[in-house]
């Protein structure tokens, strides 16, 4: 869900503004205003998981190989992971367009 | 059969809350409301009322606890006054948009400074726009009846909004009156158990009170505005049902000797009884004077008020609130807007009286009527006038 999906009228807004579907923040696309994205250099990565811990949007998941991969549906491009990575394995690159 | 007893109005209100079988009462004492929650705490302590009484650390906490309790599906009651109501202010706007049907009795009192524990309507007028349904009681019986009515209306699934019953501090709260305390059986017939549309329940999780981004905030507020306006139907229906069961009929606007009246006094709350005495005296001396009393303040009963007062030539509106720097008092403003550019509308003159516990006597009402008549012939210099104020 992007913010634009949340656009409802006063007649259709939920009763009391309640969120009736549990855990629906998982479908909220926090990545729609990203201006740069993290790119991982697997050569440098030691799989310590610092990026996973520090990401404020919990965008990282561990792959089967043990690397951490960010989900661009959630990544807002803040660069915290790149800043925290002890091996400088993450580079922030500008989004095209 | 219901019993008619001599009882302090505050105690009678607490008895009404007991009859309503409230579940949670978070409360903080403040004069002149204290006797209501004090008596409720006794009823809970001695086992007469099976409820959770939460002695909170402030009114801010009281209203916060009310929101939580109501969200969990509990029938929730509290009471406050003046500075305490102001301390609640931050929270008061929340249960209305969140549709939590809390019931509160406000024993109206002035605001500091100077410190005053006495009665006027400034405390509630500060909270005019909180989105709650609001009624004003004239006497003790009405205070009891409106409290029961408030639970019935607020919790109605079509409404689901918080509701305030305003009673004048001391003039009502501390007076012993003959009051008919309804029977439990009758109350149970009038007031069904509280069955909220949504409640906080771990087996069926929902979130209440989320952020409203600019894309939805306006819609959320318009939804509240519409719900509040639509609540009037249930307010009226519940008064009809009340009349059937208890034999006392209430209307959003009451009239007294308004037939052929040229000047109408407009009041809210307990000064209306003195106003009726004043109207009788003026009628005896041949003046065509009547009284219109507003019982339902929010949602404002526009249609009913126009019907009740639209034919008079002059309205003398009495506000028990002085909003510094404003055009006139809040009730005066409301009625001027209501009749703005309505063809043949009455001329409206705004008066401020009865601040900080000062009595509004029969003579004061006569003075107000005399002034309104004079102003109808010659426009006053000011847009409102404070009655009975000394200059030196
Ligand atoms: S913080 Fe750096 S080194 Fe550690 S797992 Fe993430 S990318 Fe690899
Ligand atoms: S850039 Fe920010 S949001 Fe995106 S993955 Fe890194 S820490 Fe998370």
């Amino acid at each position: 869900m992007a913010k634009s999906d949340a656009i409802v009228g006063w007649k259709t807004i939920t009763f009391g503004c309640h969120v009736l579907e549990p855990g629906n923040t998982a479908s909220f696309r926090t990545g729609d205003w990203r201006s740069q994205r993290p790119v991982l250099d697997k050569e440098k990565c030691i799989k310590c998981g610092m990026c996973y811990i520090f990401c404020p949007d919990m965008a990282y998941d561990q792959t089967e190989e043990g690397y951490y991969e960010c989900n661009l549906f959630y990544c807002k491009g803040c660069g915290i992971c790149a800043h925290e990575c002890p091996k400088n394995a993450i580079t922030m690159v500008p989004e095209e367009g | 059969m219901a019993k008619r007893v001599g009882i302090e109005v505050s105690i009678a209100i607490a008895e009404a809350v007991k009859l309503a079988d409230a579940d949670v009462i978070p409360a903080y004492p403040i004069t002149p409301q204290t006797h209501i929650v004090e008596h409720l705490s006794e009823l809970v302590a001695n086992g007469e009322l099976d409820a959770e009484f939460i002695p909170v650390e402030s009114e801010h906490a009281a209203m916060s606890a009310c929101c939580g309790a109501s969200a969990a599906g509990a029938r929730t009651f509290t009471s406050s006054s003046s500075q305490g109501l102001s301390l609640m202010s931050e929270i008061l706007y929340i249960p209305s948009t969140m549709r939590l049907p809390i019931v509160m009795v406000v024993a109206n009192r002035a605001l500091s400074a100077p410190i005053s524990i006495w009665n006027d309507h400034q405390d509630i007028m500060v909270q005019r726009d909180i989105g709650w349904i609001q009624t004003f009681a004239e006497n003790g019986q009405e205070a009891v009846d409106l409290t029961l009515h408030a639970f019935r209306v607020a919790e109605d699934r079509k409404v689901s909004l918080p509701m305030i019953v305003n009673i004048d501090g001391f003039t009502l709260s501390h007076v012993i009156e003959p009051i008919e305390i309804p029977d439990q059986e009758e109350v149970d017939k009038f007031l069904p158990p509280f069955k909220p549309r949504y409640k906080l329940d771990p087996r069926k999780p929902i979130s209440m009170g989320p952020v409203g981004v600019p894309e939805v905030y306006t819609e959320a507020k318009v939804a509240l505005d519409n719900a509040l306006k639509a609540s009037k139907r249930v307010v009226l229906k519940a008064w009809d049902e009340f009349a059937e069961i208890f034999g006392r009929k209430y209307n959003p606007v009451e009239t007294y000797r308004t037939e052929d009246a040229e000047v109408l006094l407009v009041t809210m709350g307990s000064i209306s009884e003195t106003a009726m005495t004043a109207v009788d005296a003026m009628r005896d001396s041949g003046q065509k004077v009547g009284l219109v009393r507003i019982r339902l303040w929010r949602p404002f009963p526009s249609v009913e008020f126009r019907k009740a007062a639209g034919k008079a030539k002059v309205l003398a509106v009495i506000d028990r609130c002085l909003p510094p720097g404003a055009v006139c008092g809040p009730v005066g403003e409301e009625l001027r807007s209501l009749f703005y550019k309505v063809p043949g509308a009455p001329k409206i003159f705004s008066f401020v009286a009865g601040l900080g516990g000062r009595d509004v006597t029969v003579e004061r009402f006569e003075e107000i009527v005399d002034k309104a008549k004079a102003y109808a012939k010659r426009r006053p210099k000011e847009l409102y006038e404070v009655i009975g104020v000394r200059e030196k």
Side-chain angles (χ1 to χ4, degrees):
Chain A
M1 178 172 66
K3 265 192 197 166
S4 55
D5 298 334
I7 291 177
V8 288
W10 72 262
K11 287 184 177 175
T12 46
I13 198 165
T14 53
F15 181 85
C17 248
H18 303 337
V19 178
L20 301 175
E21 184 195 334
N24 79 342
T25 31
S27 58
F28 192 80
R29 184 151 63 91
T30 46
D32 65 349
W33 50 287
R34 185 180 55 245
S35 61
Q36 47 178 4
R37 69 168 72 198
V39 173
L40 172 67
D41 180 352
K42 287 187 182 170
E43 301 278 293
K44 290 186 187 163
C45 176
I46 56 167
K47 304 175 181 174
C48 67
M50 293 294 266
C51 49
Y52 168 83
I53 289 167
F54 276 95
C55 172
D57 275 302
M58 295 181 285
Y60 277 99
D61 272 322
Q62 202 171 17
T63 63
E64 272 181 18
E65 295 163 89
Y67 291 109
Y68 290 88
E69 205 171 61
C70 98
N71 183 341
L72 292 174
F73 184 80
Y74 300 121
C75 170
K76 63 187 176 194
C78 66
I80 289 174
C81 52
H83 182 82
E84 294 296 335
C85 171
K87 291 291 169 188
N88 287 325
I90 301 172
T91 318
M92 298 304 291
V93 300
E95 287 286 3
E96 304 285 317
Chain B
M1 269 295 286
K3 270 201 308 275
R4 197 169 146 90
V5 291
I7 186 169
E8 186 188 307
V9 174
S10 287
I11 308 298
I13 290 169
E15 289 292 328
V17 175
K18 182 190 127 185
L19 287 165
D21 195 21
D23 299 313
V24 179
I25 304 159
Y28 195 85
I30 182 166
T31 304
Q33 160 278 133
T34 305
H35 291 183
I36 300 173
V37 296
E38 195 176 72
H39 190 63
L40 279 167
S41 75
E42 283 166 11
L43 292 174
V44 174
N46 67 22
E48 278 183 68
L49 173 60
D50 181 17
E52 204 62 53
F53 187 93
I54 312 177
V56 286
E57 71 272 25
S58 74
E59 286 85 353
H60 189 279
M63 192 38 63
S64 301
C66 281
C67 288
S70 186
R75 177 165 288 168
T76 307
F77 176 85
T78 192
S79 185
S80 197
S81 283
S82 182
Q83 311 298 122
L85 189 68
S86 287
L87 185 51
M88 271 184 191
S89 183
E90 184 188 346
I91 315 299
L92 288 172
Y93 291 78
I94 294 170
S96 45
T97 307
M98 284 178 63
R99 312 291 295 272
L100 302 172
I102 299 157
V103 171
M104 169 155 70
V105 169
V106 176
N108 301 120
R109 164 185 152 183
L111 289 171
S112 302
I115 296 169
S116 167
I117 58 166
W118 294 279
N119 170 225
D120 66 28
H121 292 167
Q122 300 196 75
D123 57 356
I124 193 62
M125 287 308 163
V126 173
Q127 311 297 343
R128 188 190 60 179
D129 298 333
I130 52 178
W132 293 45
I133 305 169
Q134 293 193 35
T135 52
F136 276 82
E138 183 185 82
N139 54 41
Q141 185 68 60
E142 195 175 323
V144 166
D145 294 352
L146 291 186
T147 301
L148 290 170
H149 173 256
F151 284 107
R152 167 71 184 80
V153 173
E155 293 174 2
D156 189 292
R157 278 186 166 209
K158 288 193 212 84
V159 176
S160 203
L161 284 169
M163 189 154 169
I164 285 172
V165 178
N166 288 289
I167 64 157
D168 285 316
F170 292 109
T171 321
L172 288 185
S173 64
H174 283 56
V175 163
I176 295 175
E177 284 187 25
I179 294 176
E180 201 172 294
I181 305 288
D183 263 357
Q184 187 66 62
E185 257 177 46
E186 289 173 337
V187 172
D188 292 347
K189 220 160 71 183
F190 176 67
L191 183 63
F194 175 34
K195 288 204 187 101
R197 262 162 83 164
Y198 296 102
K199 62 175 177 178
L200 294 177
D201 178 356
R203 286 162 303 183
K204 225 179 148 206
I206 61 167
S207 300
M208 290 188 181
V211 172
V213 290
E215 287 86 343
V216 303
Y217 186 87
T218 306
E219 284 68 25
K221 287 299 175 190
V222 171
L224 163 64
D225 184 34
N226 278 279
L228 188 59
K229 284 176 184 146
S231 72
K232 197 178 85 178
R233 287 181 65 164
V234 178
V235 169
L236 303 186
K237 192 171 146 256
W239 272 331
D240 287 344
E241 289 169 16
F242 192 93
E244 268 171 41
I245 297 172
F246 302 99
R248 289 181 292 277
K249 177 74 176 94
Y250 293 107
N251 299 298
V253 173
E254 297 289 353
T255 56
Y256 184 71
R257 302 188 77 170
T258 52
E259 69 288 351
D260 78 353
E262 282 166 9
V263 182
L264 290 180
L265 290 161
V266 181
T267 55
M268 294 208 296
S270 64
I271 60 165
S272 315
E273 298 213 326
T274 319
M276 284 193 278
T277 309
V279 165
D280 287 343
M282 287 183 273
R283 283 275 181 182
D284 286 349
S285 67
Q287 301 183 67
K288 289 182 173 172
V289 178
L291 169 73
V292 177
R293 172 160 71 96
I294 301 165
R295 181 179 284 119
L296 178 63
W297 171 233
R298 284 292 180 271
F300 191 81
S302 310
V303 179
E304 290 83 353
F305 193 90
R306 280 212 193 99
K307 214 175 136 209
K311 286 207 188 85
K313 292 200 180 79
V314 175
L315 299 188
V317 185
I318 295 140
D319 262 291
R320 304 198 58 198
C321 168
L322 175 58
V327 171
C328 68
V331 185
E333 262 180 24
E334 192 91 11
L335 298 179
R336 281 179 176 161
S337 304
L338 184 70
F339 284 109
Y340 182 67
K341 292 214 164 162
V342 173
K347 287 185 177 170
I348 298 173
F349 301 106
S350 170
F351 298 91
V352 170
L355 298 185
R358 186 165 301 177
D359 287 334
V360 189
T361 58
V362 168
E363 292 72 31
R364 288 295 180 212
F365 282 113
E366 288 171 347
E367 180 187 339
I368 288 167
V369 168
D370 288 346
K371 286 195 159 142
K373 278 183 179 168
Y375 293 154
K377 289 196 192 102
R378 217 192 133 148
R379 254 177 83 159
K381 280 201 203 83
E382 305 292 338
L383 285 164
Y384 68 90
E385 181 169 340
V386 183
I387 288 296
V389 65
R390 292 182 302 273
E391 267 188 29
K392 282 177 188 160

